[in-house]
Amino acid sequence: MATAMAASALVPPAAAVTRQRTLLCVPATARAPREMAAEVAAAAALGADVAELRLDRLSGFAPSRDLPVLLAGPRPLPALVTYRPKWEGGEYEGDDEPRFEALMLAMELGAEYVDIELKVADKFMKLISGKKPETCKLIVSSHNYENTPSAEELGNLVAQIQATGADIVKIATTATEIIDVARMFQILVHCQEKQVPIIGLVMNDRGFISRVLCPKFGGYLTFGTLEKGKESAPAQPTIADLINVYNIRQIGPDTKVFGIIGKPVGHSKSPILHNEAFRSVGFNAVYVPFLVDDLANFLTTYSSPDFAGFSCTIPHKEAAVRCCDEVDPIARDIGAVNTIIRKSDGKLVGYNTDYVGAISAIEDGIRALQPTETTTSPLAGRLFVVIGAGGAGKALAYGAKEKGARVVIANRTFARAQELGNLIGAPALSLAELENYHPEEGMILANTTAIGMHPNVNETPLSKQALKSYAVVFDAVYTPKDTRLLREAAECGATVVSGLEMFIRQAMGQFEHFTGMPAPDSLMRDIVLAKI
C-alpha cells in the first residue's frame, strides 16, 4: 500500500463486499441535558442517522440523574455515548472509574454505541466482561492531534484496536498536508476488504476531504455538526452541508471526485455551484475543497482516475502549467492553468477558462450600456489597466490584448508587473504610480488581486480619487459581491462588472471540461445569484 491512490483503485465493487451505508453522526455538545436532548431532536430533523452524546461537555454531569433523561425512549436517533477525557482531547478531568461507570450505565439504558479510548480499552473491557448488551456496539478510538502516521503504523493501530475486542475501530489523525489523508483512505479500503468496520477521519482543514469522501472508501461513520460553532473536532462540516452541498447520501465507490485546489480555499463557493450542477444532470460526482500546499505532491498522490479533475486557484495556477502533461495553447501563452483534467490514460491536461469568462463578462458589461458592433470587441483600442501579475492577471492581460486593447500592467511589486509587461509587450507600473496615472479619460480597470476579499472587505487596490479616470471597472473578487472597489467606482459613475460574472462563466467552462456535457447555464446562474 505504498502511495496514495494506489488505494482508490482498490475500492471494491459493490458486489464483491457487502457495503453498509456510511452513517451521518451529529455531535450533541450542549452544557445541559435537556438542551442536549433538544440537539438530538434537531439532528434527527436534519437527516442524521446517529447522535453523539458528549457527556464531557455537560456542566455538573450526574450520570444517575442525567443519563435517563438523555436516553429516555422513544429516542429520535440511536445514541453514541462518549465521555472523553482531557488527555484524549475532551473535557473530563476526573478518574477513570466514575467515567467507566457512567458508560456502563449508558449501555444498560440502551445506548446503541459507546466510545472508549484505546489507552484504557483493556481496563474497560475487563470491567464490562459479560455485561455488554448485544444491542450495544463498542467503538475503541485513537486520536492523534499531532500528525498522521505512516500507512504501516495505521495498519498496526487497526490491529491493536481490533485485539481489544472492539466492534468498531475509530482512528482520528491530524493532517499536516492534504496528502496525509491518502493514507487514511488506504486504511479504509484495506478494512473494507477485510470487512472490519472503521471510522477513519483526518482532522483540520487539510483533512476536510476525509469527512466528505469516507462513503467512497467505506468509512462506517462521519460527523457533521448541527451548525457552525458546535464542532467537537477541528474542521467538521455541518450536517446540512454534508447532505445538501456535498450530496453525501449519493457518494459511493464509483463516484468521481473533482474539486478546487487552492490556499486558502475555505471561502470558495465552487462546491455549492458544481455539486448542484452535477446533481441536476445526474452526473455521479462530488466536488470538494482541496487545501493544497504543494501542487506536484498532491497530483502525484491522488493519481487514481477517480480523482478526475480540478479547478485551480491562487496560488497554484502558474505551477499547474508545469505539473500538466499537456497544456492548451491559450493556457500556455497565458502561463496559467485554472482547470486540470485527468484523462483515462492518467495524463493531466491543463486549460484556462478564466480568460474567456472574464473578458466576455467585461465585454457584455460594456455592451449593455454602450451598444457596439457585435463583430468588433468593445475593448478594441481602449486603454485597459490590469492590477495584478499572477495567474488571473496574466489571463486578463492576454485576453484584453487579443481583443485589441492597449494593456498596462500594475502590481504592488513593480518587478512582477514588469515581468508580465515584458511577456505581452505592455508598459508596467507600481500600484503607487497607478494612483496618479490618468493619461486619458474612459479607461478600463480590472483588479485581479485578492485585495478587498473577505475578510479584508475594507481594502481597495485604488483610491476613489484615482477611479474617476475609469469608465469601466471590473473586480475579480466576488466575496463580497459588492466590493469596496466596485462601490466607489459606481459612485464615480463607472460601469461596474462583478467578479461573480467571471466566476459563473469560468465555472460553466470547467463544468463542460469535467463532464463532457453542456453547462446548465440558467441553473448555474440561479445558484450563484441565490446562494453565493
Side-chain angles (χ1 to χ4, degrees):
M1 295 200 298
T3 61
M5 296 287 100
S8 81
L10 293 175
V11 176
V17 173
T18 305
R19 290 178 67 98
Q20 179 203 285
R21 187 184 79 171
T22 297
L23 301 176
L24 303 186
C25 180
V26 169
T29 58
R31 295 295 179 186
R34 294 205 181 277
E35 287 171 20
M36 189 173 276
E39 287 184 338
V40 174
L46 287 171
D49 301 306
V50 182
E52 181 185 31
L53 307 180
R54 284 295 300 262
L55 304 184
D56 53 300
R57 295 289 184 97
L58 291 167
S59 300
F61 174 56
S64 57
R65 178 194 69 202
D66 298 334
L67 279 173
V69 173
L70 289 167
L71 295 170
R75 290 197 308 279
L77 286 175
L80 188 174
V81 177
T82 301
Y83 201 0
R84 190 77 70 222
K86 200 154 192 180
W87 49 259
E88 190 86 356
E91 296 188 12
Y92 177 77
E93 296 189 72
D95 296 333
D96 279 335
E97 283 68 23
R99 193 166 70 89
F100 290 171
E101 285 169 15
L103 293 173
M104 288 174 69
L105 178 57
M107 285 180 178
E108 288 170 28
L109 291 170
E112 285 80 3
Y113 303 90
V114 164
D115 179 308
I116 191 71
E117 301 75 27
L118 173 61
K119 287 177 189 172
V120 294
D122 286 340
K123 195 171 162 188
F124 186 67
M125 285 297 196
K126 283 177 188 164
L127 196 63
I128 66 167
S129 179
K131 298 176 190 171
K132 181 174 83 72
E134 284 187 19
T135 52
C136 182
K137 287 188 168 67
L138 188 67
I139 299 169
V140 175
S141 61
S142 168
H143 297 77
N144 181 331
Y145 292 95
E146 300 297 320
N147 55 36
T148 299
S150 68
E152 185 180 356
E153 289 171 303
L154 288 172
N156 292 339
L157 188 56
V158 170
Q160 197 181 341
I161 292 173
Q162 282 185 278
T164 65
D167 296 306
I168 299 166
V169 172
K170 180 185 176 190
I171 300 175
T173 64
T174 299
T176 57
E177 290 185 82
I178 196 168
I179 59 173
D180 296 344
V181 184
R183 298 197 289 281
M184 188 62 78
F185 289 156
Q186 286 178 256
I187 294 303
L188 291 181
V189 169
H190 183 67
C191 288
Q192 179 74 19
E193 290 172 335
K194 303 291 182 189
Q195 299 198 19
V196 174
I198 180 170
I199 302 164
L201 300 167
V202 185
M203 296 179 282
N204 83 20
D205 292 339
R206 288 170 175 78
F208 179 83
I209 59 170
S210 71
R211 300 183 177 280
V212 177
L213 298 181
C214 56
K216 178 173 176 60
F217 298 102
Y220 185 88
L221 175 153
T222 191
F223 292 90
T225 64
L226 263 185
E227 56 193 61
K228 284 182 180 171
K230 293 196 171 184
E231 295 83 3
S232 61
Q236 283 176 345
T238 64
I239 183 80
D241 279 354
L242 284 174
I243 293 172
N244 302 323
V245 174
Y246 296 103
N247 306 322
I248 195 166
R249 297 291 193 200
Q250 277 66 54
I251 297 175
D254 300 324
T255 300
K256 295 285 186 191
V257 180
F258 297 86
I260 180 161
I261 297 169
K263 184 185 176 183
V265 78
H267 68 282
S268 175
K269 308 301 183 187
S270 294
I272 296 171
L273 182 59
H274 282 289
N275 283 313
E276 198 152 331
F278 288 161
R279 180 162 49 185
S280 76
V281 297
F283 187 63
N284 183 12
V286 62
Y287 186 104
V288 294
F290 294 111
L291 178 56
V292 171
D293 298 284
D294 184 315
L295 180 61
N297 276 355
F298 170 81
L299 293 170
T300 302
T301 301
Y302 295 93
S303 58
S304 152
D306 279 3
F307 285 79
F310 311 99
S311 308
C312 210
T313 190
I314 295 169
H316 298 304
K317 292 183 182 185
E318 292 159 283
V321 177
R322 299 187 294 275
C323 291
C324 288
D325 301 295
E326 300 169 20
V327 178
D328 178 76
I330 293 176
R332 190 172 292 288
D333 284 344
I334 293 168
V337 157
N338 80 323
T339 308
I340 300 173
I341 302 299
R342 177 169 277 121
K343 297 202 307 192
S344 55
D345 62 3
K347 285 190 175 175
L348 297 172
V349 185
Y351 301 92
N352 192 306
T353 65
D354 284 336
Y355 152 74
V356 178
I359 294 298
S360 66
I362 295 168
E363 286 180 323
D364 288 350
I366 296 169
R367 285 191 181 111
L369 291 169
Q370 306 163 14
T372 57
E373 283 183 54
T374 51
T375 53
T376 308
S377 169
L379 303 184
R382 302 282 290 272
L383 196 58
F384 192 108
V385 178
V386 176
I387 299 179
K394 284 182 180 177
L396 263 89
Y398 177 92
K401 188 174 175 72
E402 192 186 62
K403 296 291 186 177
R406 294 172 291 130
V407 176
V408 174
I409 310 296
N411 195 60
R412 191 170 275 166
T413 310
F414 176 70
R416 290 218 55 196
Q418 200 169 32
E419 189 183 332
L420 177 54
N422 291 341
L423 195 67
I424 67 161
L429 301 168
S430 68
L431 270 189
E433 289 171 321
L434 187 62
E435 281 293 328
N436 300 307
Y437 180 76
H438 38 80
E440 60 188 68
E441 297 303 310
M443 298 188 293
I444 299 169
L445 181 71
N447 174 44
T448 69
T449 72
I451 298 171
M453 182 187 287
H454 183 81
N456 304 310
V457 295
N458 291 320
E459 292 183 4
T460 184
L462 205 57
S463 70
K464 188 172 180 179
Q465 180 63 32
L467 288 172
K468 291 177 180 175
S469 299
Y470 295 90
V472 181
V473 175
F474 165 80
D475 196 345
V477 172
Y478 64 86
T479 50
K481 180 183 176 184
D482 190 23
T483 61
R484 180 180 167 188
L485 175 66
L486 293 185
R487 277 199 316 275
E488 292 184 347
E491 286 165 10
C492 291
T495 298
V496 296
V497 181
S498 166
L500 267 187
E501 193 56 43
M502 171 185 170
F503 172 70
I504 292 166
R505 294 174 190 223
Q506 64 79 28
M508 290 195 294
Q510 289 185 333
F511 179 92
E512 291 175 6
H513 283 303
F514 292 157
T515 66
M517 304 179 201
D521 186 317
S522 58
L523 173 89
M524 292 180 82
R525 200 167 284 283
D526 288 347
I527 294 166
V528 168
L529 295 176
K531 298 188 180 180
I532 295 179

